[in-house]
Structure formats: structure tokens, C-alpha cells
Amino acid sequence: MSSNDDVHKVREFEHPGEGRRRAKATPKGRQVDPTASHEIEQLLGDRPRRRDLLIEYLHLIQDKYHQISAAHLAALADEMKLAFAEVFETATFYAHFDVVKEGEPDIPPLTIRVCDSLTCAMMGAEKLLEELQDTAGPGIRVVRAPCVGFCDSAPVAEIGHRYVLNATTAEVLDTAARGETDPIIPAYVDYDAYVKEGGYKLLGDLRAGRISKEDILKTLDDSSLRGLGGAGFPTGRKWRAVLAEPGPRLMVVNADEGEPGTFKDRFYMLRDVHRLFEGMLIAAHVVDATDVYIYLRDEYPAALKLAPIEIAKLPPGGPTIHIRRGAGAYICGEESALLESIEGKRGLPRHKPPYPFQVGLFSRPTLINNLETLFWVRDIVEKGASWWTSHGRNGRHGLRSYSVSGRVREPGVKLAPAGITVRELIDEYCGGMADGHNFYAYLPGGASGGILPASMDDIPLDFGTLEKYGCFIGSAAIVILSQQDSVRSAALNLMRFFEDESCGQCTPCRVGTQKAALLMQRPVWNRALLEELSQAMRDASICGLGQAASNPLTSVIKYFPDEFKEAAE
């Protein structure tokens, strides 16, 4: 080595980087904007900076600024001592968070969402969407939205947090022009009215020991009350399973109904909320839950506004009650995905076992019940199991809240005997078919429950009666189609919904729904390929979304040969 080389090496050692590109003065990584940091600090105030509250804080940003900027995401991550990637992946997972990436234009201050799920599509949602996109002025964004839970008033548009039911273009634009964006709380049974009619007496008797936990559990067992969110697991058995696990225990109320065609939970929540709360507090007492988390669907802003008002009036004592707000993710109706969301994460279903009653929310044994299941607890215990089982038709027992929409004269929530047939439901509870419409087909269990022809109108609608036909009752969402509707188009609408709502965690569901939707758009369906794809989705998907997504598709192939043949010619 030459002497000059030696000198150069010495100088480089003494002055690192000399003669090479200097390091940037700005540190590596995403920097926090001081203004955004101050805004986030002010917005959060003295709220705890806990990881499980991340989604709640994203809602605070969305509500105030009508979007979530990259600067606010970085500031929130810094404030909560989280990696930016954690905050970003959570924010972008949920449909109701409008994340604006760096360099993208701001989102207009007002958003109009038009539901394009099946019933709204049947009632003219596509035309409404196109007209609003063509006529809405500056400062207004018009976008599609999956089912918003007002299928009995289709088509539906949401302006901010205000719904326009049976919407027309003129009415939507007039409402927007008036600046009416806040939710409307309908008339309901408040705390005083509920107590006046005997409300919370049963809870008081339970807490005072005048009625035992075992008395409650035996009544539920004798009534055969099953979970009314869709799975249908026996309620008493579920409570006993949780109680058998070592404490401390938690409880979750699943009020995140997102199945297209389902709106019964909204109906009960906004009319008789304390009947739900009493059932919830009875359940929490029976399983010794220290805390109760109510996971409310974000599409129900009136319920989100009502709940804290009435919770503040509840009898003292009992568990701590937390309200958690969903953010537009159908998958969070699945119980383990719901738990992940409450913990402030993406709603990705967990592998089972362990089951939530063993390792649930925050890794503690957790009781999870659907809103309507809890709604009936007081009546069943006070009136006796025989009162519940005295209802029913066609060899079935109990009551069911059927959410009926589509081509009937009087859609809505119909409290009817379990086991009623769709023909009986239409004729006795819905005023018959709408004028000019003949009964052609029906969905017996919402988007994932399959599609049956009108010729199969004598099947009892209940748990266990539809499975042999490739369908199921689920949450009892009944959508009625007429001769003016196409089941092929209906199945494609539903598959697009599942494609959009897949959490993306497992390949069979993420890719399967996408490929199925593409194949179903073709004028000629490849039956063998679609059936093979459907089977793969059923066999290999992690949760019920992917396992049931192909039910409408396979129903069309099996039960509607005329439409299928016509397409194949």
C-alpha cells in the first residue's frame, strides 16, 4: 500500500464520512408534524392512551375532520406510543375511516353514502347513486355503501349521520342542502317508563338473592333459547360454559348485525333498549363478569347517541359498561373478529380452539351474546320457559324476529312463531306481495343463507330446517324476490358484497370471492369451475364468511335451472 493510501485511511478514521456524501440533517423515518401533534393531543384530552382505544380515537379524528390524514395518523401513533404501521393498518382496514395518504387531495367535507346491497339494489339504488353523482355540487362526495340496516325502507342514503329512507334524489339533495346530518332518535321506552312497567325488578331480585343464578340458568335451559345472531348456540349452555372457567370474566354484547337483509337489532335497540340492558346485566351477574363491552354497529348512529344517555340511568352496582363503536366491517359480526376489534386491532377472525368462552377478550373467559338474545331474557324468566315454548309452528318452538324486506306490501321486523313458513309470513304478517309482483324466490337467512324458489315455500323457517337444502336461517333475514328480479343478479350482488367484506386473512376467502364474482359476471357460467371453487371456499376458509359466501351461487345452480339454462344457451 502506498503512503498516500495510508494517509487517506487515517483521515477517514479521524473524520468519518469526510469526502463522502454527508448524512441528512433530518432523522430517518416518518416525522410528526407539530401542528398535527397538538391537534391530536387536544382531541384526546385526558383520555387514557391505551392500545384497545385506538379505534375509538380514530373515530374522534374522523368525526372532527371528516377524514384521517397521514399527519394525524403519525401524530396519533406517536401519542399512543405505537408503530405507525400498526395505526395505519387498523385505520385502513375499516370502511368508515377515510384515510388520506400523503399527496392525495382532501376528501370533501360532506359524504353521501348510497346503500347498494341486495334490497336497495332491487329498489333502484343504482339509479339513485348515478343521479346523485351527476347532480351533487362541489364539497359533496357520493359513494357506494354496503348494507346499512334499513332494508325495510329501501333505497337508503346516508348524509353524514342522517338517513333518508325510501330515498329520492331530490329528497337527498334537499336534506344535504339544509345541513341535516345528525341522527334522529325515534320515540322509545326510556328508563322511567320501563321501570314503571316492572323493569329491573328481576335484576334486583337476582342481586338480592331472591332468585338464584341456577334458577335463571334452568329457565334458559328449559326454554331452549338459542343465540339469535345466527349461530343458534343454546344460551343456557353458553352461560354455564363461561361460568365454569376461572375468573375474572368479561362479557360482550354483539350489536354489529351487518348481514344484508338484517335489521332486527336496530329495531329493538331503538324502541325498548332497557329490556336489552336488563338481560345484559342479568347475564353479567350470572357469569360474574366484571366488565361489559357493547359493540355497536357504526351504521346505527341513533343507537350510538341513545345508548350512553340511557346507560347513565341504570341501577347502581354491577359491572362497568363500555360502549365500543364499530367502523364498517361486516367481518366483525364474527365473534372472534369482534374481540380483535374491541382490542383496537383489525377485525381478523381468530383460529379456534381456544374458544372465546375460554380465552376471549384480553385473553379472559368471555361471554358473547347477540343483542336480541339478551332482549328476551327478562320475558322468558318472568313468564316462564313454557311461555316461550308455547309459541311455534310446524313442530318448532319459540318466537323469531324475522327481518322481512323486498317485494312485500309491508316490510319490517315481524315477531312470529318459530317455524313459520315464508308463505305464511308473507300472507299473515306482510300484507301479501307488493302490487304487481308475484312471489318468485326468497333468501331465508340473509346474504349467506342461500336462495330458494317460491315452489319451496312450505319449509319451516328455523334452526336446523334448511341445512339439507344448502341454506340456513341465520339471523332470520328474509328477502322476497318477484318475477321482476333475477336470482343470478342477486347472487352476483351478494358475492360482490362478500368480496368487499372479506378480511383478506385467508386465501380461499380473499381470492375465492374475487374469482367467483369475476366468473359470475360472464354471460355463460362455468358450472364445474364455480362448484369446485365453492367447495374449496367451504372447506378451507377460516370463518363463516368464506365458508358460506358461495351459498347463493350454488342455490342458483341447483334450484333455478331456467335462469341457469337461459344463461348457458
Side-chain angles (χ1 to χ4, degrees), residues 449 460 493:
N493 177 286

Side-chain angles (χ1 to χ4, degrees), residues 454-473:
S455 59
M456 299 174 67
D457 62 355
D458 58 349
I459 303 171
L461 298 175
D462 197 18
F463 295 116
T465 61
L466 293 153
E467 282 75 2
K468 63 182 178 180
Y469 305 106
C471 300
F472 55 79
I473 186 68

Side-chain angles (χ1 to χ4, degrees), residues 238-245 249-250 287 357 365-367:
K238 179 182 282 192
W239 290 19
R240 291 182 187 277
V242 175
L243 188 58
E245 295 294 317
R249 307 178 192 90
L250 299 174
V287 302
F357 78 88
T366 303
L367 173 64

Side-chain angles (χ1 to χ4, degrees), residues 239-302:
W239 290 19
R240 291 182 187 277
V242 175
L243 188 58
E245 295 294 317
R249 307 178 192 90
L250 299 174
M251 179 179 175
V252 170
V253 179
N254 186 347
D256 190 51
E257 61 177 358
E259 185 82 5
T262 307
F263 45 89
K264 62 183 180 63
D265 291 352
R266 168 183 60 81
F267 178 85
Y268 288 121
M269 181 77 180
L270 291 177
R271 283 163 177 77
D272 200 358
V273 66
H274 284 282
R275 199 170 298 270
L276 157 67
F277 287 161
E278 184 165 14
M280 173 187 77
L281 292 174
I282 288 169
H285 185 89
V286 169
V287 302
D288 293 324
T290 60
D291 295 76
V292 175
Y293 290 79
I294 305 174
Y295 191 88
L296 273 173
R297 193 180 183 201
D298 197 38
E299 286 86 348
Y300 294 163

Side-chain angles (χ1 to χ4, degrees), residues 88-263:
F88 180 81
E89 72 175 10
T90 301
T92 53
F93 180 85
Y94 295 93
H96 290 185
F97 295 142
D98 295 317
V99 177
V100 179
K101 300 174 184 177
E102 290 181 355
E104 293 182 344
D106 286 346
I107 291 172
L110 181 63
T111 294
I112 297 176
R113 302 179 188 273
V114 178
C115 176
D116 69 350
S117 287
L118 181 56
T119 307
C120 282
M122 292 163 56
M123 300 300 180
E126 196 65 35
K127 180 182 178 182
L128 176 64
L129 177 68
E130 291 175 359
E131 290 178 350
L132 288 171
Q133 289 175 334
D134 291 340
T135 56
I140 299 178
R141 178 181 64 146
V142 181
V143 298
R144 297 177 181 273
C147 186
V148 296
F150 284 87
C151 314
D152 52 337
S153 303
V156 180
E158 182 185 15
I159 306 168
H161 296 300
R162 171 77 63 92
Y163 283 104
V164 178
L165 309 179
N166 303 118
T168 64
T169 300
E171 187 178 4
V172 172
L173 294 177
D174 286 347
T175 303
R178 292 192 298 267
E180 297 174 354
T181 59
D182 292 330
I184 300 174
I185 299 178
Y188 67 95
V189 179
D190 65 8
Y191 177 79
D192 292 334
Y194 183 74
V195 170
K196 187 176 180 180
E197 296 179 355
Y200 293 111
K201 181 180 183 302
L202 176 60
L203 176 65
D205 289 344
L206 178 62
R207 287 178 173 176
R210 291 185 289 272
I211 183 172
S212 69
K213 294 180 180 180
E214 182 55 36
D215 291 335
I216 300 286
L217 290 168
K218 186 177 186 306
T219 302
L220 292 178
D221 290 337
D222 292 344
S223 71
S224 298
L225 176 66
R226 300 174 68 169
L228 298 174
F233 193 84
T235 303
R237 194 193 308 174
K238 179 182 282 192
W239 290 19
R240 291 182 187 277
V242 175
L243 188 58
E245 295 294 317
R249 307 178 192 90
L250 299 174
M251 179 179 175
V252 170
V253 179
N254 186 347
D256 190 51
E257 61 177 358
E259 185 82 5
T262 307
F263 45 89

Side-chain angles (χ1 to χ4, degrees), residues 491-560:
L492 176 57
N493 177 286
L494 300 173
M495 188 59 73
R496 285 172 171 161
F497 170 81
F498 292 128
E499 177 190 2
D500 187 61
E501 294 294 335
S502 173
C503 75
Q505 180 178 193
C506 68
T507 302
C509 177
R510 181 184 69 251
V511 178
T513 52
Q514 179 190 41
K515 296 299 182 184
L518 288 171
L519 291 170
M520 293 167 71
Q521 292 176 52
R522 296 178 179 178
V524 177
W525 282 9
N526 185 327
R527 176 172 183 164
L529 185 56
L530 283 169
E531 288 181 337
E532 182 181 1
L533 179 60
S534 299
Q535 191 64 49
M537 291 166 63
R538 284 193 293 270
D539 291 344
S541 295
I542 291 174
C543 79
L545 192 157
Q547 294 164 10
S550 64
N551 285 343
L553 158 64
T554 54
S555 294
V556 174
I557 295 173
K558 184 175 183 180
Y559 296 115
F560 297 90

